[in-house]
Amino acid sequence: MDEISNEMDFQQAFDSLKETVDKLEDPKTTIDESIELYEQACKLVVFCQRKLNDNKLKITDINERIAQLRQNSEPLFED
C-alpha cells in the first residue's frame, strides 16, 4: 500500500483510492487485507476531501480579489 504524504496531489491520492477500492473488491482479498485496505481507503477519502476544500478556499479567494478589482475600476492589466 502506498503511504499518504502531504506531497501527494489530489490526482495521486484519487488514483491510489481507486486502486485500493479495486483491491477491496477482489474476491481473493483476505479479511485481514480488507481491513487494512478499508482503513487506507478512509484515510485517502479524508485526504482528498481536504485537498478539495483547500482548493475551494483558493478559488473563493481569487473570486473575491477579482470582485474587488472590478469595484475599484482599476485596469486588470498594464498597457
Side-chain angles (χ1 to χ4, degrees):
M1 264 184 285
D2 295 337
E3 285 296 315
I4 302 171
S5 73
N6 286 330
E7 285 77 41
M8 288 179 89
D9 63 20
F10 175 83
Q11 193 60 52
Q12 291 169 319
F14 189 74
D15 290 343
S16 184
L17 178 59
K18 288 192 294 187
E19 290 174 22
T20 303
V21 170
D22 288 343
K23 291 176 188 174
L24 270 168
E25 292 175 340
D26 185 345
K28 295 176 186 171
T29 303
T30 67
I31 291 290
D32 291 336
E33 291 170 330
S34 292
I35 291 170
E36 288 180 30
L37 290 166
Y38 178 75
E39 181 179 14
Q40 180 75 359
C42 290
K43 289 177 182 178
L44 286 163
V45 166
V46 170
F47 182 88
C48 287
Q49 286 174 331
R50 286 183 182 158
K51 288 287 187 183
L52 288 172
N53 286 339
D54 289 346
N55 286 317
K56 180 180 178 183
L57 289 174
K58 288 177 186 177
I59 290 169
T60 300
D61 182 53
I62 291 168
N63 287 337
E64 287 174 0
R65 286 186 282 150
I66 289 171
Q68 287 175 350
L69 287 171
R70 285 183 182 155
Q71 287 177 348
N72 293 337
S73 300
E74 295 176 14
L76 296 178
F77 303 100
E78 299 281 331
D79 287 333

